[in-house]
Amino acid sequence: FERAIELIQDQPRTSKHISLHLDRKPSRFAEANSDITPLDENGVTIIRDQGAWTSRGRRSSQEDRFVLHEIHGLQDRSLLVAGCFDGHLGTSAAAAASERLPQRITDIIAEESSNSLSLDAILERAWDDICDEYKTGCQNEEQCIANYDPQQGVLEAYTGGQDAVAGTTASVVTVEPNLGTLTVLNCGDSRSMVVDSDGKVAFRTDDHQPEFELERFSQGIKAGLPYNQPECRFSKWRVAVGDYNYAVSRSLEGPFATAMGIISTPDVSILRTPPGSTVLVATDGIWEVMDLGEAAQVLRKVRRDGMSAADAAKTLCSMALEKGTRDNVSAVVVYID
């Protein structure tokens, strides 16, 4: 921008029209560059394709959000941020997380103090910052919803129903080609997985469901916290939070649900993937009717058939709807060479 201003100012005052032609630098995700040196022979250097799809299921509204965002030119780091956010009781939390996360990652990388931070620390810090912003946006304790205004970039609280505060799960994968790594953050029951070239599941995140955190809730109750012990009814585990029953033990919530034991602490993993891998991030509407193995085989087939990543995401969402999922469905697919 400064160079463009200099060019304009250098023109003769008699000039009435000036044309500027701007060329975008080639993306590191489109082709391999000579300055990218993987740490080992299995380092990820090329993202061949990327795409996403979302569909409303049998719900009255679509509360899912996704992010597919490239970050370039910061301290010689380039990132792809791919994630899904499954909102509930409204869209405020999912919208805030999906819209704020890429910018917060960018801001942290740009800070001089973060030069020594690894990507997993950066991603976790960005998520924690967004969770704190969202929770402080609720100023009226139990009766508020934090509404994010993307144009103004602010969070505003307003009165809502009893305990009805929007929340969201999150599953996010960041790809850093120049280091050949994937960093995965997961909070809730949206899920990320990596499929190798043979269609086998090389990595998957763990769902945060109440039955897996019985001890944490028990310890909280013993400590005098206002937690409720999760219960299993009709083969499904739920934990009572005010007037609602939650199927997850971790997600981004307002102050009330947080005080009741629904925490936003994520799992964060770092891994390498061999060439030919496919990354899938999807909300639980897909996992309600498809298991990991089936999704992996679908991705292997459609990729070998030459289907784009966007069409692969659409295919998975369509299959989930045909199988009768009751939830909204969203998927992000990334092909790695």
Side-chain angles (χ1 to χ4, degrees):
F1 180 79
E2 292 176 351
R3 179 58 180 154
I5 294 298
E6 291 176 2
L7 289 171
I8 294 173
Q9 292 176 338
D10 288 342
Q11 300 304 308
R13 293 183 177 275
T14 56
S15 299
K16 294 183 179 181
H17 302 284
I18 299 173
S19 298
L20 296 179
H21 180 76
L22 304 178
D23 285 326
R24 181 177 178 179
K25 294 179 64 176
S27 169
R28 292 189 180 188
F29 302 113
E31 55 184 282
N33 289 333
S34 60
D35 62 338
I36 298 178
T37 305
L39 297 185
D40 60 34
E41 62 182 6
N42 291 328
V44 178
T45 58
I46 304 172
I47 294 178
R48 180 58 57 194
D49 195 14
Q50 54 187 281
W53 192 265
T54 185
S55 298
R56 182 170 67 86
R58 300 181 186 180
R59 299 293 179 89
S60 59
S61 62
Q62 171 60 288
E63 296 172 322
D64 287 0
R65 296 292 186 271
F66 69 83
V67 61
L68 191 55
H69 189 98
E70 293 183 11
I71 301 174
H72 295 283
L74 285 174
Q75 302 177 1
D76 296 325
R77 304 181 79 163
S78 293
L79 301 176
L80 175 68
V81 182
C84 284
F85 305 86
D86 186 357
H88 48 263
L89 299 179
T91 60
S92 296
S98 61
E99 291 161 1
R100 286 282 294 128
L101 187 63
Q103 184 60 55
R104 190 68 196 109
I105 292 172
T106 302
D107 292 342
I108 294 173
I109 293 176
E111 295 173 1
E112 293 183 3
S113 60
S114 68
N115 289 343
S116 61
L117 290 180
S118 59
L119 187 54
D120 59 319
I122 291 172
L123 185 58
E124 188 167 4
R125 177 177 160 187
W127 172 251
D128 289 342
D129 288 349
I130 290 169
C131 292
D132 290 342
E133 288 178 8
Y134 186 79
K135 292 169 187 175
T136 56
C138 287
Q139 301 295 331
N140 195 23
E141 294 295 333
E142 299 179 10
Q143 295 183 343
C144 71
I145 296 177
N147 183 40
Y148 181 71
D149 184 344
Q151 293 184 338
Q152 299 297 324
V154 297
L155 292 158
E156 299 174 343
Y158 64 89
T159 301
Q162 178 71 24
D163 304 334
V165 178
T168 186
T169 65
S171 199
V172 180
V173 176
T174 57
V175 187
E176 192 164 14
N178 58 325
L179 291 183
T181 58
L182 303 181
T183 304
V184 185
L185 178 146
N186 193 66
C187 181
D189 59 1
S190 292
R191 190 180 298 172
S192 295
M193 65 182 292
V194 178
V195 181
D196 66 19
S197 58
D198 294 324
K200 297 180 180 179
V201 179
F203 172 84
R204 59 151 294 179
T205 55
D206 293 325
D207 297 345
H208 294 131
Q209 297 172 336
E211 62 265 38
F212 302 127
E213 298 199 62
L214 296 176
E215 181 62 25
R216 180 172 67 82
F217 281 96
S218 295
Q219 292 297 325
I221 293 171
K222 292 178 181 178
L225 298 175
Y227 292 5
N228 292 309
Q229 189 66 33
E231 297 180 356
C232 182
R233 297 179 179 177
F234 303 105
S235 300
K236 292 186 178 180
W237 285 87
R238 297 287 188 271
V239 58
V241 177
D243 297 332
Y244 298 90
N245 289 317
Y246 277 60
V248 293
S249 54
R250 300 192 188 192
S251 64
L252 168 55
E253 303 291 338
F256 179 75
T258 301
M260 297 289 289
I262 308 299
I263 60 176
S264 57
T265 304
D267 292 333
V268 182
S269 306
I270 303 176
L271 59 143
R272 298 185 183 280
T273 55
S277 298
T278 300
V279 176
L280 169 64
V281 188
T283 56
D284 69 324
I286 287 180
W287 308 117
E288 183 179 292
V289 293
M290 299 179 69
D291 61 25
L292 293 164
E294 181 180 5
Q297 288 302 314
V298 170
L299 289 172
R300 174 177 178 270
K301 182 180 185 304
V302 298
R303 181 171 179 177
R304 287 192 172 184
D305 290 345
M307 185 178 290
S308 69
D311 285 340
K314 181 179 180 181
T315 297
L316 286 171
C317 290
S318 298
M319 289 180 63
L321 293 174
E322 291 173 0
K323 288 175 175 287
T325 184
R326 296 166 295 178
D327 206 346
N328 300 318
V329 289
S330 298
V332 179
V333 175
V334 181
Y335 291 161
I336 296 174
D337 279 352

